[in-house]
Amino acid sequence: MHAPSRHEAATPGDQPGLIAPDTSGMNFYRTDPALADLLRIHLSDQLFRHIEPHLDRLGALAGGHLDECARLADRHGPVLHPRDRFGRDAQWIEYHPAYRELERAAFGEFGIHAMSLRKGILGWPQTYPAVAKHAFTFLFNQAEFGLGCPINVTDGCAKLLSNFGDAALRAKYLDGLTQTDMSQLTQGGQFMTEKEGGSDVGKLTTSAMREGDHWRLTGEKWFCSNADAKVVMLLARPQGAVVGTRGVGLFLMPRFLDDGSPNHYRIVRLKDKLGTRSMASGEIKLEGAIAYAVGRLDRGFVQMAEMVNSSRLSNGVKSTALMRRAYHDAMAVARGRVVFGRRIIDMPLARRQLMKIMLATEQALSMSFLTADALDRAEAGSQDAAALLRILTPTLKFRATRDARKVCGDALEMRGGIGYIEEFVNPRLLRDAHLGSIWEGTGNIVALDALKRAVGRHGADAALAADLHARLDDCTDVPRAWRDRLRDLTDRAIGFAREVAACSDNEAESRRATSLLYHVASAVALAWEGGRIHRMRGDARRLLLSRLVIDHRVAAGDPFRLTENATQRAISDHLLGDPAVGMAEVGELLLAA
């Protein structure tokens, strides 16, 4: 080594700290106290204590090794090889070793795909509730979003097979779908979309012809994620069946037949996607592929809808993960960069932007675990929870996925021009965020599901109203005036949703009505959580987020009125800081002008 010359010493690029730091090396579990708080609220103490060391390990991996793997896998996407080197039609997809490492962590080390169905994952003697499983989903997807789809559809295939498959099919395929031994794992896929109908599933043209104990499938599937999955669930219309969704059956299609030969379908090409580039999505042509009926043939769409609803919850959690990663990055910039002699986090306009990023992220985190908890209670037999789940799932999916696009864009902007450079995580987060509001139903479709079906057809709004009122009754240490305001807004949001659902002329209001349900429900959830956390460890700050939801996402404001005042500044100081704040001080801020 040589001593730097005077010219070298003066080179600006050699000066440390000119570029804002990122999240490299961060433990995404340790830096997220809200996650631990919500898990303590929703899980038994025994289960929380068991999973916390595993979450801590995953949090460190997600901020380090897995994040680097995700960057490489995104840059070096899958490649379809139509033939082997001997000219045989043996299709295979080549993945970068970094993607295989991500698979090993998700499927092998942590077994996220199997937590709902296989006992003994990570040493826990039972299966995991959805709340616990999605804590792992949340952390893993802060590093890698693309593989989230194969994890989810493998889980979904196993659930469909477990719930509706006959004994022979379960014996043949279920163990592989829930394996954590990578040499025994059978990844799943879901091939549903066709050119003729994405959301309009009843128009699908894939046909099924009976042949002994199996069926032969003919047709094309247009958007097939995890294209080389070894077991696929898909919909097809048996010959002679009625038109529409009632004539659609659910089938299991293996990638390879019993003799080891490939089944009779081809991957025509892989999609060149905006985001989730690490994961192979393709177009599939079915050429008499052998498949097996799952459940009743006239209930195929209804059965597949269960997988879609489960996927929508997972989708909401994954979009929340993107927001949390974006928030971590924005905070790293704000705390680590100094301009004009001040840290960015100390500048009023930057603080306001950080608060917008934080608010949408925390709303989504609360609503994700509220929905997962409803799923757990529904699977335990609660009809009220099943009705609640029916409305929470599309509501979460609609709003959280849309917020993720904005949050990831705003976080990119916090980093400035460098945030636009692919060496940093921001472009990948933004690209991936756009999938959330398309996957498993676009915004319009999901809003209609929440309003026209969950409210108008199933009356699930009553379950939501009852749940939110019960939570307000439960947080008795929260100031009564604030609880009364939330109670009134709950009734108004439910009433508006019913009004929109009741008349087809009001369909254009479905998105706004769904957003209002989401915002009011999240404000109640944040208040309820704030009360619980205050009882646990004396910190009531989460209640302040409840006020911000109402102030900035529900209440109609005068666009010509200044909104930044001493109260808003005090709330920002508390939420962007670390010290706990007691209920008395928080209560004053809740009710202050």
Side-chain angles (χ1 to χ4, degrees), residues 391 455 460-466 468-469 489-499 517 520:
I391 191 169
V455 176
D461 49 290
L464 179 59
L468 298 181
H469 278 285
L489 289 170
T490 295
D491 292 341
R492 292 179 65 188
I494 295 291
F496 183 62
R498 288 171 177 162
E499 181 181 0
L517 287 176
V520 171

Side-chain angles (χ1 to χ4, degrees), residues 179-509:
Q179 274 285 347
T180 56
D181 181 342
M182 296 301 289
S183 67
Q184 302 297 317
L185 172 67
T186 303
Q187 287 192 37
Q190 171 191 317
F191 298 174
M192 194 158 66
T193 304
E194 299 187 3
K195 299 175 188 175
E196 293 80 8
S199 57
D200 192 357
V201 178
K203 286 186 176 180
L204 67 79
T205 61
T206 299
S207 63
M209 178 181 291
R210 188 72 179 256
E211 186 180 270
D213 64 349
H214 58 261
W215 296 74
R216 292 276 187 174
L217 305 185
T218 305
E220 289 192 39
K221 295 295 182 179
W222 180 239
F223 206 103
C224 306
S225 293
N226 212 18
D228 58 345
K230 298 302 186 294
V231 173
V232 173
M233 290 288 182
L234 72 169
L235 298 174
R237 193 181 309 281
Q239 284 195 335
V242 299
V243 299
T245 57
R246 291 187 179 181
V248 172
L250 177 64
F251 296 88
L252 181 152
M253 182 179 70
R255 179 83 173 117
F256 296 99
L257 302 178
D258 292 343
D259 63 2
S261 63
N263 203 347
H264 306 287
Y265 68 90
R266 293 185 295 115
I267 305 170
V268 179
R269 64 171 177 169
L270 298 184
K271 299 287 194 182
D272 186 8
K273 298 173 293 183
L274 172 68
T276 62
R277 293 176 177 174
S278 63
M279 182 265 297
S281 299
E283 299 167 19
I284 306 294
K285 189 166 186 178
L286 307 167
E287 300 168 324
I290 291 176
Y292 303 93
V294 178
R296 288 172 46 184
L297 287 176
D298 62 346
R299 299 280 293 173
F301 175 76
V302 175
Q303 292 166 178
M304 181 63 93
E306 291 198 12
M307 182 175 177
V308 170
N309 281 332
S310 176
S311 183
R312 284 177 174 176
L313 166 57
S314 180
N315 194 345
V317 175
K318 292 177 177 66
S319 292
T320 306
L322 293 177
M323 286 191 270
R324 179 61 93 208
R325 177 64 187 276
Y327 171 74
H328 286 326
D329 190 77
M331 288 296 289
V333 172
R335 288 172 171 160
R337 182 157 168 76
V338 175
V339 293
F340 305 112
R342 301 169 67 188
R343 292 190 309 163
I344 289 177
I345 197 170
D346 297 324
M347 297 180 170
L349 196 55
R351 291 171 72 83
R352 188 175 181 88
Q353 188 169 350
L354 288 169
M355 290 304 301
K356 289 181 178 181
I357 293 171
M358 174 195 288
L359 183 60
T361 304
E362 298 297 346
Q363 281 185 274
L365 186 64
S366 293
M367 290 295 285
S368 291
F369 283 112
L370 201 69
T371 307
D373 178 68
L375 174 59
D376 287 330
R377 291 186 286 121
E379 292 188 340
S382 169
Q383 293 300 309
D384 290 338
L388 178 63
L389 182 67
R390 183 65 187 82
I391 191 169
L392 283 179
T393 302
T395 301
L396 168 70
K397 199 277 185 188
F398 172 74
R399 190 68 256 167
T401 58
R402 297 185 64 75
D403 285 347
R405 295 170 4 196
K406 180 72 164 59
V407 164
C408 291
D410 283 354
L412 183 153
E413 188 180 7
M414 287 293 296
R415 189 168 285 281
I418 292 178
Y420 198 68
I421 304 303
E422 292 282 352
E423 290 175 312
F424 288 85
V425 74
N426 308 88
R428 174 157 53 93
L429 294 178
L430 185 59
R431 287 189 278 105
D432 287 349
H434 279 267
L435 176 61
S437 53
I438 299 171
W439 180 22
E440 306 295 11
T442 61
N444 286 350
I445 295 300
V446 180
L448 289 173
D449 188 26
L451 269 293
K452 295 298 184 181
R453 298 182 183 91
V455 176
R457 186 179 302 171
H458 299 288
D461 49 290
L464 179 59
D467 183 85
L468 298 181
H469 278 285
R471 292 182 191 278
L472 291 171
D473 291 339
D474 182 59
C475 51
T476 54
D477 46 349
V478 174
R480 177 178 291 275
W482 186 248
R483 285 185 288 140
D484 288 345
R485 187 175 183 195
L486 292 178
R487 206 180 302 274
D488 175 65
L489 289 170
T490 295
D491 292 341
R492 292 179 65 188
I494 295 291
F496 183 62
R498 288 171 177 162
E499 181 181 0
V500 172
C503 179
S504 59
D505 291 343
N506 296 332
E507 182 177 298
E509 299 281 6

